[in-house]
Amino acid sequence: MDGRVAVRARRPLVDQVSGELRQAGAVAVVGPTGFGKSAVLDAVCAGWESSGDPVVRLSSAPADAHLPYVPLVDLFTVCPADVSGDLPDVQRSTIDWVLRRVTGPPPDPAILRVTVLSCLQTWGRRARLLLAADDMHWWGPDSLDVFGFAARRSRGSVSLLAALRPDGPLPHDVLGGDAVEIAVPALTPHESAAVVRSFGIPLRTAARIHTATGGNPRLVSDIAAGLARAGATAVLDAQPLAPHARKALRAWLAGLAAPVHWVLLLAALAADPSLDAVRRAAGPSADAALADAEAAGLIRVAGTVCFPAPVVRECLLAESSGEAVRQAHLALAAAASEDDDRVWHEASALSAAEIPARLVPGLADAATAAREGGDHTRAAEFGLLAGGRAGGARHDLLIAAAQDAEAAGRFDLACTALEQLDRRRAVPTARAQARLAVADAAGRGAAVAERMAARALSEALAADNPALASAAHLRLARSLGANRGYHAEALTHARSATELAERAGDAAIHSFALALTARIEQVRGSPGQAELLRRALATGTPAGAGRTPGEPRRVGVAFALLDDRLDEAGRLLDEMRPPDCPADRLWVLGTAVRIHAHRGEGQLAREEAHRLLALTRDLATSPGPPWYAAAVAELAGGTLEQALAYADLGLTASQEDEDTVFAAHCLHLSGMTRLLLRDAGGALADLLRVRDLVQDLGIADPAEVRYDADLAEALVAAGDLPAALRTVADARSRAEELGRRGVLASLDRAEALCHAAAGDHASAEELVGRALRTFERLGYPLQCGRALLAYSSVEQRHRRPARARELRARADAVFRRAGAPLWEPEPNRVRSSPAGLTEAERRIADLVTEGRGNRDIAAALYVSVKTVEAALTRIYRKLGVRSRVQLTALVQKSAHPERR
């Protein structure tokens, strides 16, 4: 992993190691291969040397493991002459032998131990010496013995730092019993994104890389660098990642015995990767080989054998010979306990030209069984094997495989099915069906979805298939409208879809087309969309109609939210649970976040956002909308600063995916958050960009992107009252025409601030009071709190400080009941934590002072509860406290130094 990238991604870990090293004097950094231990050591040593203090790095390599005392060469080579010169003759002779200045028999190990100890103690009395040992799993037993003896006895004279693997020497053996052991965790999704983005890789690919590597820093960096060098950074490219991880994997596998390679290959290929199945296929050597592979960090063994970094599995298969793969499949087939697994391995052991016709029915039946059981990935894999048989390709099975892949969110498998159909020159109808599956699997990737839908439309028209052409028009309408904001073009496609569906007599697609037409008309501010939606909902969705863009209930939920009918939106959403496929789950979770946030249910919003982000990473789908949802959730129940960070990620991802609509939403959230943080200049810049985007997109409904009131407030803060009043007046006329009650209440709040700034306190009070009453009727507690804050500001300008304080207290109570942050920080409210903590630890300490529990803190920071518990243990030790109460008191004391 590149050192500079590693330091940026792991700065909190580097700070933690440096802090423990100063306090404890001996630290072991422990983690599997590729987790960046050496990069952490590099950063800590660089910081040590920047203070002018000496550092000695000891290391070894696989080729040196059989040579005695190789790591000690690094110590004796740099040891100052005035240190070694003070040693007795026998010890200087020992140093000369280690450095190969003299020949002869090896020195007495006891003398060598004392020589190293004397060097360290003498040097340590003259300087603040750091001894850093790396790659200790390659050290020979003689070197480990000498180092351990000297290190344990030189504590106090020198500081000790070691990088260790879980399957290597134990920290206490090499550094002493009271050494601090710090486990190097996998990169978090945020850290992986930071590494990947440093190579110019888009966020969608960053999510895919994180999932494929399990957050292994070396693999993340190698794959990102390889993609950047190859120029293969297209976010929806189905290109395999394994070739860019081969170098790291080869180093990882070095030294492992042949039985370990064999059991890894079996686990990588197993249809049933249970421990029993792998044992049956591998034979008597299985347990020992599995233990070695797990110790090396390649696999995790519980009831099943899994790869923490799935790309390792891909690399193993890519590195193995065709004959080795064939033999592994045959062994797994012989050991299979289920007929489906047996037929799978029998077919996989053969090339497409060798698969006999007798296996196809069994594979097809297995695909059907997997589909009916909800395992669409497995169904797609069976379908690809059965349908791709050379000389007897079954196009129907390949089409079903593409549709199963789409249902599973497997863009790569959908592309594979389409490639086979193209290669076999399938009829246009078959290729069009597969292309629509690929378009759906692409998520909000506008370029791929539109390209696939356009080709599918051409093929469907050529085949004179109106139902299929209607479905293709629907995809184009949705992508052009929902992603890019090309509403005129989208409306043309939606109307064509309606006409073709009616001609085909397809009631399901006809209802979908009507609903999507209604949604596009609503965004454009055209009348009559409610009647279109009513007709669509009245048609219903026949069983087995499949998933098609513009599903009427989705549009019904959207309309309810736009019209501020939260209860109806929640009811319609509940009717859609549980979602059938990953793409539907993404949409349901994102919508649930918004509904919970509107209701002031911040904790529930954060929990749904956490699930949404995890699902997004697993599917490697567009992260723009999920990051936006995470920002909404954080705004409803976390911190303004974190909401701003998530909004920025959502904006970047949406721009990369050419998703202009969600880019506008993220910019609005960013501007609103900056406004609440009293960053009026930043808020105004963001909100003016939103205004330009909304105008370019032709969005006429002010409830679609509710930025107008926030823009007016930013203009008030900037001192431009005329522009603020014009903004309110323009938006008010459109909101009144469409009956958008929530928008009108927000405009009342913004106009009240305009009047207050102009000195018209009576009008200001009337407007803000009306806004408060409207938000109470609509069931928007957070907006009620914001209206109370605006009311407080009006009273403050009216020179009624007592009344202003009362209103602020009411707002604070509203926010606290909802679990939300105080949306307008008090002027004297300054967060500060005691010195000596890392940034991550300071964040956790601050959340503890807010009364958050460990589970709540974990949800707010998107980490595990165990991570929070470990961090609290470090915080307590550093600050000398024993409880949350003591920690809260200390943090509050740090925030108010004048009280000391």
Side-chain angles (χ1 to χ4, degrees), residues 36-121:
K37 301 183 296 297
S38 296
V40 172
L41 259 64
D42 289 342
V44 173
C45 291
W48 196 277
E49 290 175 320
S50 67
S51 301
D53 297 311
V55 174
V56 177
R57 291 286 296 268
L58 311 182
S59 63
S60 187
D64 302 329
H66 66 288
L67 299 175
Y69 310 123
V70 167
L72 301 182
V73 172
D74 297 327
L75 170 63
F76 293 144
T77 299
V78 298
C79 184
D82 58 341
V83 170
S84 59
D86 286 348
L87 299 178
D89 290 344
V90 66
Q91 293 183 4
R92 289 199 303 273
S93 298
T94 298
I95 292 175
D96 288 339
W97 185 92
V98 171
L99 295 177
R100 304 303 191 263
R101 293 171 180 165
V102 298
T103 58
D108 184 336
I111 294 176
L112 184 55
R113 293 191 196 102
V114 174
T115 300
V116 174
L117 178 60
S118 298
C119 281
L120 295 178
Q121 289 178 331

Side-chain angles (χ1 to χ4, degrees), residues 509-778:
I509 296 183
H510 186 256
S511 69
F512 297 151
L514 284 175
L516 188 56
T517 303
R519 184 75 172 98
I520 298 168
E521 292 280 27
Q522 171 269 316
V523 172
R524 300 176 75 209
S526 304
Q529 67 267 22
E531 173 60 21
L532 283 173
L533 179 59
R534 187 196 63 76
R535 288 170 55 197
L537 290 169
T539 302
T541 307
R547 192 175 69 82
T548 307
E551 200 276 336
R553 281 196 181 87
R554 283 196 186 196
V555 179
V557 172
F559 274 39
L561 287 174
L562 290 166
D563 204 30
D564 306 300
R565 292 177 277 118
L566 291 184
D567 290 342
E568 182 178 343
R571 177 180 59 77
L572 288 171
L573 190 68
D574 288 341
E575 291 176 0
M576 299 175 67
R577 296 176 187 258
D580 292 331
C581 66
D584 289 335
R585 287 200 293 275
L586 288 171
W587 183 86
V588 167
L589 285 171
T591 305
V593 168
R594 293 173 59 197
I595 292 174
H596 287 311
H598 285 322
R599 289 172 171 167
E601 299 163 349
Q603 178 62 30
L604 291 174
R606 291 200 308 276
E607 290 172 0
E608 297 281 38
H610 186 63
R611 286 192 283 271
L612 174 63
L613 290 175
L615 181 60
T616 302
R617 290 191 295 271
D618 290 342
L619 298 177
T621 189
S622 173
W627 280 125
Y628 168 77
V632 169
E634 193 70 18
L635 195 59
T639 68
L640 299 175
E641 293 80 4
Q642 194 60 61
L644 189 61
Y646 290 153
D648 178 64
L649 285 170
L651 174 62
T652 300
S654 297
Q655 290 173 330
E656 289 170 351
D657 273 355
E658 301 179 31
D659 191 339
T660 313
V661 173
F662 257 95
H665 281 295
C666 292
L667 264 176
H668 170 223
L669 205 62
S670 174
M672 174 184 168
T673 307
R674 292 183 193 279
L675 191 63
L676 297 171
L677 286 167
R678 303 282 186 89
D679 177 10
L684 185 58
D686 282 346
L687 294 166
L688 287 173
R689 288 177 64 193
V690 176
R691 183 185 66 184
D692 293 342
L693 274 177
V694 168
Q695 290 175 352
D696 290 344
L697 290 168
I699 297 175
D701 190 336
E704 187 69 33
V705 184
R706 303 188 182 203
Y707 75 96
D708 298 277
D710 294 318
L711 175 57
E713 287 194 28
L715 289 167
V716 171
D720 194 344
L721 285 182
L725 288 168
R726 284 196 303 272
T727 298
V728 170
D730 290 345
R732 189 181 291 281
S733 64
R734 289 179 279 122
E736 287 175 343
E737 181 182 352
L738 296 170
R740 299 304 191 205
R741 297 168 294 170
V743 174
L744 289 169
S746 297
L747 293 171
D748 284 343
R749 184 195 67 236
E751 189 174 352
L753 294 175
C754 293
H755 287 302
D760 185 355
H761 301 296
S763 297
E765 281 193 78
E766 180 183 353
L767 284 165
V768 76
R770 187 169 73 187
L772 181 58
R773 291 189 297 274
T774 302
F775 284 132
E776 287 173 342
R777 284 196 303 273
L778 294 176

Side-chain angles (χ1 to χ4, degrees), residues 232-287:
T233 60
V235 297
L236 286 174
D237 194 355
Q239 174 188 359
L241 300 177
H244 306 294
R246 284 181 177 177
K247 182 179 179 182
L249 182 68
R250 286 166 182 159
W252 207 344
L253 292 172
L256 293 179
V260 179
H261 286 261
W262 174 242
V263 80
L264 285 172
L265 181 58
L266 291 172
L269 291 171
D272 170 21
S274 68
L275 183 56
D276 287 342
V278 175
R279 280 172 172 163
R280 287 196 304 271
S285 63
D287 285 340

Side-chain angles (χ1 to χ4, degrees), residues 177-199:
D178 55 349
V180 175
E181 181 177 344
I182 297 178
V184 182
L187 293 175
T188 66
H190 294 178
E191 291 169 339
S192 288
V195 173
V196 173
R197 289 178 72 188
S198 71
F199 290 95

Side-chain angles (χ1 to χ4, degrees), residues 12 70 115 298 306 314 487 677 738 742 776 840 843 867 882 900:
V70 167
T115 300
L298 289 161
C306 68
E314 297 175 31
H487 297 114
L677 286 167
L738 296 170
E776 287 173 342
R843 179 78 184 92
T867 299
R882 296 184 178 181
R900 296 177 185 172

